[in-house]
Amino acid sequence: MSQPRPPLAKLADFVGALGTLVDTTSDEDLILAEGGRLLAGLIARDDWLPDAYAKPDPTRYQQYLLHCDSRERFSVVSFVWGPGQATPVHDHTVWGLVGVLRGAELSQRFERRAGAFAAIGPVHRLERGEVEAVSPTVGDVHQVTNAFDDRVSISIHVYGANIGAVERSTYDAAGRPKRFVSGYANTTLPNLWDRSKPVLAEAAR
């Protein structure tokens, strides 16, 4: 009889598959397409994210690091949005993938016009299980809001760097930039790699 896999095995599988992908190619279009497919698989079921990395804060959204590649080629984080919480208008400077695990998000893209950033296109609603890409090549400046005023939403973000070390910018209404680095809310990481129990169970068979 096979042993049930621990919930974090799904995250470990995703990290492994994404690592293989970036080992294989540096083509951003391919990374976004195949990485988006992998992320959609990870968020298809909401049964793996530990509670410690799903806690909202009443004052601002939380960004919890789930994994950072040893060469800082990518990072995986959970964004936890309290009711009505939103980011400022901001850029990314690296490729990214966003997948909604719980609730829904509203995303508004911006582009520079006459020296300032203006909203372009309609507000896009990203529902649970959906994935979208951001990048300087496909659209890098946006604002994100929890779609709900009465509940928490959570999204899983994957970035093409250690996003906790990347200098970026937020923008005011006049388009003036302000430098920032998006740090992490957690001081510990989830243990993705402890397979001692299933290994010992298999050895005892």
Side-chain angles (χ1 to χ4, degrees), residues 1-6 9 193-205:
M1 182 177 178
S2 62
Q3 296 290 319
R5 302 182 75 218
W193 309 116
D194 184 359
R195 295 194 290 269
S196 57
K197 290 180 180 178
V199 168
L200 287 174
E202 183 67 23
R205 291 177 61 184

mmCIF file of all heavy atoms in Angstrom, residues 1-6 9 193-205:
data_model
loop_
_atom_site.group_PDB
_atom_site.id
_atom_site.type_symbol
_atom_site.label_atom_id
_atom_site.label_comp_id
_atom_site.label_asym_id
_atom_site.label_seq_id
_atom_site.Cartn_x
_atom_site.Cartn_y
_atom_site.Cartn_z
ATOM 1 N N MET A 1 0.850 -1.198 0.000
ATOM 2 C CA MET A 1 0.000 0.000 0.000
ATOM 3 C C MET A 1 0.887 1.250 0.000
ATOM 4 O O MET A 1 1.778 1.397 0.838
ATOM 5 C CB MET A 1 -0.911 0.001 1.242
ATOM 6 C CG MET A 1 -1.866 1.186 1.299
ATOM 7 S SD MET A 1 -2.954 1.070 2.735
ATOM 8 C CE MET A 1 -3.865 2.575 2.550
ATOM 9 N N SER A 2 0.676 2.142 -0.954
ATOM 10 C CA SER A 2 1.514 3.330 -1.058
ATOM 11 C C SER A 2 1.166 4.339 0.026
ATOM 12 O O SER A 2 0.017 4.453 0.453
ATOM 13 C CB SER A 2 1.348 3.972 -2.434
ATOM 14 O OG SER A 2 0.010 4.386 -2.624
ATOM 15 N N GLN A 3 2.177 5.060 0.474
ATOM 16 C CA GLN A 3 1.987 6.088 1.491
ATOM 17 C C GLN A 3 1.463 7.369 0.842
ATOM 18 O O GLN A 3 1.882 7.736 -0.267
ATOM 19 C CB GLN A 3 3.316 6.386 2.188
ATOM 20 C CG GLN A 3 3.884 5.208 2.963
ATOM 21 C CD GLN A 3 3.061 4.912 4.193
ATOM 22 O OE1 GLN A 3 2.613 5.820 4.898
ATOM 23 N NE2 GLN A 3 2.843 3.637 4.446
ATOM 24 N N PRO A 4 0.535 8.081 1.496
ATOM 25 C CA PRO A 4 0.064 9.352 0.943
ATOM 26 C C PRO A 4 1.201 10.364 0.903
ATOM 27 O O PRO A 4 2.045 10.400 1.804
ATOM 28 C CB PRO A 4 -1.041 9.781 1.915
ATOM 29 C CG PRO A 4 -0.741 9.052 3.187
ATOM 30 C CD PRO A 4 -0.121 7.751 2.779
ATOM 31 N N ARG A 5 1.241 11.173 -0.135
ATOM 32 C CA ARG A 5 2.293 12.176 -0.264
ATOM 33 C C ARG A 5 1.958 13.381 0.606
ATOM 34 O O ARG A 5 0.806 13.811 0.687
ATOM 35 C CB ARG A 5 2.442 12.607 -1.718
ATOM 36 C CG ARG A 5 2.763 11.482 -2.663
ATOM 37 C CD ARG A 5 2.933 12.004 -4.074
ATOM 38 N NE ARG A 5 4.208 12.680 -4.230
ATOM 39 C CZ ARG A 5 4.399 13.782 -4.968
ATOM 40 N NH1 ARG A 5 3.372 14.340 -5.581
ATOM 41 N NH2 ARG A 5 5.591 14.319 -5.086
ATOM 42 N N PRO A 6 2.949 13.961 1.261
ATOM 43 C CA PRO A 6 2.683 15.160 2.059
ATOM 44 C C PRO A 6 2.265 16.309 1.158
ATOM 45 O O PRO A 6 2.693 16.383 -0.020
ATOM 46 C CB PRO A 6 4.028 15.436 2.736
ATOM 47 C CG PRO A 6 5.040 14.756 1.896
ATOM 48 C CD PRO A 6 4.358 13.556 1.307
ATOM 49 N N ALA A 9 4.713 18.205 -1.037
ATOM 50 C CA ALA A 9 5.318 17.522 -2.180
ATOM 51 C C ALA A 9 4.897 18.197 -3.483
ATOM 52 O O ALA A 9 5.658 18.201 -4.462
ATOM 53 C CB ALA A 9 4.926 16.051 -2.188
ATOM 54 N N TRP A 193 11.665 19.411 1.697
ATOM 55 C CA TRP A 193 12.491 18.274 1.296
ATOM 56 C C TRP A 193 12.545 17.146 2.309
ATOM 57 O O TRP A 193 13.246 16.148 2.071
ATOM 58 C CB TRP A 193 13.914 18.771 0.998
ATOM 59 C CG TRP A 193 13.898 19.930 0.065
ATOM 60 C CD1 TRP A 193 14.302 21.207 0.320
ATOM 61 C CD2 TRP A 193 13.412 19.954 -1.281
ATOM 62 N NE1 TRP A 193 14.110 22.011 -0.768
ATOM 63 C CE2 TRP A 193 13.566 21.272 -1.766
ATOM 64 C CE3 TRP A 193 12.863 18.984 -2.129
ATOM 65 C CZ2 TRP A 193 13.191 21.637 -3.058
ATOM 66 C CZ3 TRP A 193 12.494 19.364 -3.411
ATOM 67 C CH2 TRP A 193 12.655 20.667 -3.860
ATOM 68 N N ASP A 194 11.864 17.235 3.429
ATOM 69 C CA ASP A 194 11.888 16.156 4.423
ATOM 70 C C ASP A 194 10.971 15.023 3.969
ATOM 71 O O ASP A 194 9.748 15.112 4.080
ATOM 72 C CB ASP A 194 11.448 16.682 5.785
ATOM 73 C CG ASP A 194 11.558 15.626 6.877
ATOM 74 O OD1 ASP A 194 11.949 14.479 6.567
ATOM 75 O OD2 ASP A 194 11.257 15.940 8.035
ATOM 76 N N ARG A 195 11.575 13.955 3.462
ATOM 77 C CA ARG A 195 10.818 12.779 3.048
ATOM 78 C C ARG A 195 11.150 11.582 3.926
ATOM 79 O O ARG A 195 11.009 10.431 3.506
ATOM 80 C CB ARG A 195 11.092 12.472 1.573
ATOM 81 C CG ARG A 195 10.592 13.543 0.628
ATOM 82 C CD ARG A 195 10.561 13.068 -0.821
ATOM 83 N NE ARG A 195 11.908 12.900 -1.349
ATOM 84 C CZ ARG A 195 12.575 13.867 -1.980
ATOM 85 N NH1 ARG A 195 12.029 15.058 -2.140
ATOM 86 N NH2 ARG A 195 13.784 13.651 -2.437
ATOM 87 N N SER A 196 11.594 11.869 5.155
ATOM 88 C CA SER A 196 12.051 10.792 6.023
ATOM 89 C C SER A 196 10.945 9.779 6.324
ATOM 90 O O SER A 196 11.195 8.562 6.313
ATOM 91 C CB SER A 196 12.612 11.362 7.331
ATOM 92 O OG SER A 196 11.626 12.154 7.992
ATOM 93 N N LYS A 197 9.739 10.241 6.564
ATOM 94 C CA LYS A 197 8.661 9.299 6.925
ATOM 95 C C LYS A 197 8.307 8.369 5.780
ATOM 96 O O LYS A 197 8.260 7.148 5.974
ATOM 97 C CB LYS A 197 7.446 10.075 7.418
ATOM 98 C CG LYS A 197 7.664 10.745 8.787
ATOM 99 C CD LYS A 197 6.428 11.507 9.247
ATOM 100 C CE LYS A 197 6.696 12.149 10.603
ATOM 101 N NZ LYS A 197 5.520 12.940 11.066
ATOM 102 N N PRO A 198 8.040 8.877 4.568
ATOM 103 C CA PRO A 198 7.732 7.927 3.495
ATOM 104 C C PRO A 198 8.907 7.031 3.132
ATOM 105 O O PRO A 198 8.707 5.861 2.765
ATOM 106 C CB PRO A 198 7.306 8.818 2.325
ATOM 107 C CG PRO A 198 7.799 10.169 2.657
ATOM 108 C CD PRO A 198 7.817 10.274 4.136
ATOM 109 N N VAL A 199 10.132 7.540 3.242
ATOM 110 C CA VAL A 199 11.296 6.696 2.924
ATOM 111 C C VAL A 199 11.421 5.578 3.936
ATOM 112 O O VAL A 199 11.646 4.409 3.570
ATOM 113 C CB VAL A 199 12.593 7.557 2.894
ATOM 114 C CG1 VAL A 199 13.821 6.659 2.858
ATOM 115 C CG2 VAL A 199 12.578 8.484 1.683
ATOM 116 N N LEU A 200 11.260 5.898 5.211
ATOM 117 C CA LEU A 200 11.341 4.861 6.249
ATOM 118 C C LEU A 200 10.173 3.874 6.129
ATOM 119 O O LEU A 200 10.360 2.667 6.339
ATOM 120 C CB LEU A 200 11.363 5.503 7.629
ATOM 121 C CG LEU A 200 12.663 6.218 8.021
ATOM 122 C CD1 LEU A 200 12.499 6.941 9.340
ATOM 123 C CD2 LEU A 200 13.831 5.236 8.073
ATOM 124 N N ALA A 201 8.991 4.385 5.779
ATOM 125 C CA ALA A 201 7.847 3.495 5.613
ATOM 126 C C ALA A 201 8.082 2.525 4.466
ATOM 127 O O ALA A 201 7.732 1.339 4.540
ATOM 128 C CB ALA A 201 6.584 4.312 5.379
ATOM 129 N N GLU A 202 8.676 3.035 3.390
ATOM 130 C CA GLU A 202 8.962 2.170 2.248
ATOM 131 C C GLU A 202 10.025 1.131 2.600
ATOM 132 O O GLU A 202 9.939 -0.038 2.195
ATOM 133 C CB GLU A 202 9.420 3.018 1.069
ATOM 134 C CG GLU A 202 9.676 2.257 -0.211
ATOM 135 C CD GLU A 202 8.416 1.674 -0.805
ATOM 136 O OE1 GLU A 202 7.317 2.198 -0.509
ATOM 137 O OE2 GLU A 202 8.537 0.673 -1.548
ATOM 138 N N ALA A 203 11.021 1.560 3.386
ATOM 139 C CA ALA A 203 12.086 0.629 3.768
ATOM 140 C C ALA A 203 11.585 -0.476 4.687
ATOM 141 O O ALA A 203 12.143 -1.575 4.706
ATOM 142 C CB ALA A 203 13.218 1.413 4.453
ATOM 143 N N ALA A 204 10.531 -0.175 5.437
ATOM 144 C CA ALA A 204 9.995 -1.156 6.395
ATOM 145 C C ALA A 204 9.094 -2.186 5.747
ATOM 146 O O ALA A 204 8.703 -3.169 6.394
ATOM 147 C CB ALA A 204 9.253 -0.430 7.509
ATOM 148 N N ARG A 205 8.742 -1.990 4.483
ATOM 149 C CA ARG A 205 7.818 -2.900 3.808
ATOM 150 C C ARG A 205 8.501 -4.232 3.523
ATOM 151 O O ARG A 205 9.693 -4.305 3.259
ATOM 152 C CB ARG A 205 7.318 -2.282 2.518
ATOM 153 C CG ARG A 205 6.402 -1.092 2.770
ATOM 154 C CD ARG A 205 5.963 -0.439 1.486
ATOM 155 N NE ARG A 205 5.216 -1.366 0.651
ATOM 156 C CZ ARG A 205 4.761 -1.100 -0.567
ATOM 157 N NH1 ARG A 205 5.009 0.097 -1.090
ATOM 158 N NH2 ARG A 205 4.097 -1.975 -1.271
#
